[in-house]
Amino acid sequence: MATEAAPARPVGPTRLVYFDDMWALRSAATVLAVHQEGGRVVVVLDATVFYPQGGGQPADTGAISGAGAKFLVEDVRAKDGVVFHYGRFEGAGEGCGHGFKEGESVSLEVDAERRSLNSRLHSAGHLLDICVSNVGLSYLEPGKGYHFPDGPFVEYKGVIPPDQIQDKQNELEREAKRLISEGAKVLASVFPYEEAAKLCGGSLPSYISKDSTPRIVKFGEYPGGACGGTHVVDISIINSLKVTNIRVKKGLTKVSYSISP
Ligand SMILES: [Zn+2]
């Protein structure tokens, strides 16, 4: 099957390779469906190493190669556990014969450079959570994170008194520098709820169901956090982190940051 209308039958959840092994850049999979959606081709597989946009982290890009076709992945999204790879077949439009067959085995490879930058940005956001705690701001409660290259930030519930903002900005940056130079191994794994809560300093945010097995990301001996994203192997790989701005507004503190390219 090359391209056709929406899949005739619903496809099951996609196994997330990066969930268990976030440092893998290649994997194998079986094609479940190929269809068109709004002028774009969508490929659904039984498993994927590609990270779908979410949790404040952009999607991976890369390629999916089959026996007779190569699919260039430009965007990846997940809905109800199914991962959709959006893109185009290389050489498509030059004639017939381009596409994947249902049931075909394919090999996947993510763009390593883009993944590496996204992982460093995401890890930098988590590192800031630790720094916030270490510089006496543990009353700030981690909220939203935006780990895209165009202006990444982490947001906290609670405010830093205006006269302390400049000092705290400097302290946060110094603390980040210290932690990066010390380095620490990064762990990401799925745990039973109680164990996950323990690893996160005793409790988990209320949006996480007590019946679930949360995925926890933990830097060295510091308390972990629930996270579905990809991260660096060791926080030293973040390399350098600058706290570019702190803005306090409407009970929230927004900490903007940047990392070295
Ligand atoms: Zn995260």
Side-chain angles (χ1 to χ4, degrees):
M1 158 182 76
T3 55
E4 58 179 45
R9 57 173 188 278
V11 289
T14 313
R15 187 172 64 80
L16 306 174
V17 174
Y18 66 84
F19 218 66
D20 300 315
D21 182 0
M22 62 184 173
W23 301 311
L25 296 172
R26 289 190 181 88
S27 71
T30 300
V31 176
L32 297 184
V34 182
H35 60 274
Q36 290 269 8
E37 193 185 297
R40 287 193 298 179
V41 181
V42 190
V43 174
V44 181
L45 308 166
D46 66 333
T48 190
V49 72
F50 282 85
Y51 184 79
Q53 181 172 315
Q57 183 178 331
D60 283 331
T61 59
I64 302 172
S65 305
K70 188 175 182 185
F71 184 74
L72 305 173
V73 179
E74 293 162 345
D75 195 9
V76 189
R77 302 286 165 140
K79 191 167 185 266
D80 301 329
V82 181
V83 176
F84 301 91
H85 305 81
Y86 293 91
R88 57 188 168 87
F89 283 102
E90 202 172 56
E94 294 162 13
C96 303
H98 297 291
F100 295 146
K101 290 186 180 66
E102 204 175 301
E104 181 177 347
S105 297
V106 288
S107 57
L108 290 58
E109 185 170 5
V110 307
D111 181 315
E113 211 173 299
R114 179 178 162 104
R115 164 68 77 84
S116 164
L117 176 64
N118 290 343
S119 296
R120 287 174 60 228
L121 281 165
H122 198 148
S123 292
H126 281 236
L127 187 70
L128 275 172
D129 291 346
I130 297 170
C131 296
V132 158
S133 194
N134 286 1
V135 304
L137 299 171
S138 53
Y139 62 88
L140 294 178
E141 191 187 317
K144 189 184 169 191
Y146 179 81
H147 314 295
F148 284 60
D150 65 332
F153 65 87
V154 281
E155 205 168 62
Y156 300 89
K157 259 187 224 158
V159 298
I160 304 175
D163 61 329
Q164 291 182 21
I165 289 175
Q166 190 54 56
D167 285 349
K168 289 302 177 190
Q169 183 171 342
N170 297 339
E171 279 178 54
L172 283 173
E173 200 166 295
R174 265 203 306 276
E175 183 62 3
K177 193 173 181 184
R178 186 182 75 80
L179 293 175
I180 288 169
S181 67
E182 270 181 8
K185 291 269 171 270
V186 176
L187 164 128
S189 200
V190 168
F191 294 95
Y193 185 89
E194 293 302 326
E195 207 176 319
K198 231 178 267 173
L199 288 168
C200 296
S203 66
L204 285 168
S206 54
Y207 66 84
I208 296 170
S209 160
K210 291 207 158 72
D211 302 325
S212 67
T213 50
R215 181 172 181 265
I216 302 303
V217 171
K218 198 174 181 318
F219 290 3
E221 293 309 307
Y222 295 98
C227 178
T230 69
H231 289 268
V232 295
V233 176
D234 189 292
I235 60 171
S236 60
I237 294 167
I238 298 169
N239 195 23
S240 91
L241 193 164
K242 272 202 165 355
V243 177
T244 51
N245 188 43
I246 295 180
R247 198 184 71 181
V248 174
K249 205 177 161 184
K250 291 180 181 160
L252 297 172
T253 297
K254 180 178 167 182
V255 180
S256 298
Y257 65 95
S258 67
I259 59 170
S260 58

